[in-house]
Amino acid sequence: MSKARLLIVEDERVVALSVKMTIERLGYTVTAIAESGEVAIEEVRMNRPDLIIMDIQLGGKLKRIETTRIINGNDDIPVIYASAFADREVLQEARITKPYNFIIKPIRERELEIIIEIALDRAEMIRKQNMLIRELENAIAKVSTLSGLLPICASCKKIRDDAGYWHQVEEYIHTHSDADFTHGLCPDCAKRLYP
């Protein structure tokens, strides 16, 4: 399996380069270093990283919350916030965007490795879950059900429609559902017809 591609969003160049070196030492690829939310959004559009590590005290016109909302609204890429500050107000504000994790600076290599792996695993699980939900929704949309009281002839087994016309059972069901038919003989009929 190929290693994940990460985007670093950090406006302090020295910190960004240090994080980049750590990430690359762990075997991941850094797609870019973005100094602002605007640049981060453009990088996501151009390179589609697997994970974003974003400074929570990000400068620029677009702050972290707006940046993360735009990214999640378009691409739903997991975000890990990094900050030297961990006061309750900052954490509460960060929680609104549902980050995958939060890491305190200075970033330690082993801690970052664990947080990245957990975030990537969680993102993959969510992707698979969303795919299964879409498949289920598509399957449900294709299912047609017959319900209610169906008038059926006791002798020939034809079904009467709402307009009063009589139809063969298979024709009626085929018209009113997605079911297809194949014909054969059940064991009882086979014995009766071909003793």
Side-chain angles (χ1 to χ4, degrees):
M1 183 177 155
S2 62
K3 281 289 187 173
R5 301 166 64 249
L6 280 68
L7 169 64
I8 300 170
V9 185
E10 171 65 64
D11 54 4
E12 291 184 39
R13 191 75 180 156
V14 174
V15 174
L17 291 173
S18 172
V19 173
K20 180 180 188 286
M21 286 176 18
T22 302
I23 289 170
E24 288 175 340
R25 201 168 33 248
L26 292 171
Y28 299 104
T29 300
V30 175
T31 60
I33 295 173
E35 300 83 22
S36 68
E38 295 84 358
V39 174
I41 290 166
E42 184 62 21
E43 285 295 332
V44 167
R45 189 184 64 75
M46 290 174 23
N47 295 315
R48 180 114 180 98
D50 300 306
L51 181 72
I52 299 169
I53 298 178
M54 184 182 304
D55 178 21
I56 203 160
Q57 303 294 3
L58 189 62
K61 290 180 183 173
L62 278 179
K63 301 298 183 204
R64 65 195 169 269
I65 297 225
E66 292 85 4
T67 302
T68 304
R69 279 187 177 147
I70 292 169
I71 288 169
N72 284 341
N74 297 328
D75 296 286
D76 202 21
I77 296 171
V79 174
I80 296 171
Y81 286 130
S83 178
F85 309 100
D87 64 36
R88 184 156 301 283
E89 185 180 323
V90 170
L91 288 172
Q92 284 300 102
E93 191 178 345
R95 288 175 70 185
I96 294 168
T97 60
K98 298 184 172 110
Y100 275 58
N101 219 318
F102 191 95
I103 191 165
I104 304 296
K105 295 178 186 176
I107 295 172
R108 292 184 300 255
E109 186 171 321
R110 182 67 182 137
E111 184 181 0
L112 181 62
E113 181 179 25
I114 291 167
I115 285 174
I116 288 171
E117 286 298 317
I118 289 170
L120 291 170
D121 287 347
R122 181 175 161 211
E124 180 62 22
M125 181 183 67
I126 289 171
R127 262 192 292 279
K128 286 179 180 176
Q129 184 181 32
N130 289 339
M131 184 184 71
L132 289 172
I133 288 169
R134 280 191 302 275
E135 287 176 4
L136 181 60
E137 287 170 345
N138 289 338
I140 289 171
K142 290 181 181 177
V143 172
S144 293
T145 58
L146 292 173
S147 62
L149 189 61
L150 295 176
I152 189 166
C153 175
S155 177
C156 69
K157 307 300 183 206
K158 287 183 180 176
I159 295 177
R160 189 181 71 222
D161 65 18
D162 294 337
Y165 296 103
W166 291 90
H167 305 273
Q168 294 291 342
V169 171
E170 59 269 22
E171 175 193 345
Y172 186 88
I173 292 175
H174 181 73
T175 303
H176 293 84
S177 74
D178 291 333
D180 287 320
F181 291 90
T182 179
H183 287 88
L185 292 172
C186 72
D188 292 339
C189 290
K191 282 183 198 172
R192 186 174 47 80
L193 294 171
Y194 306 103

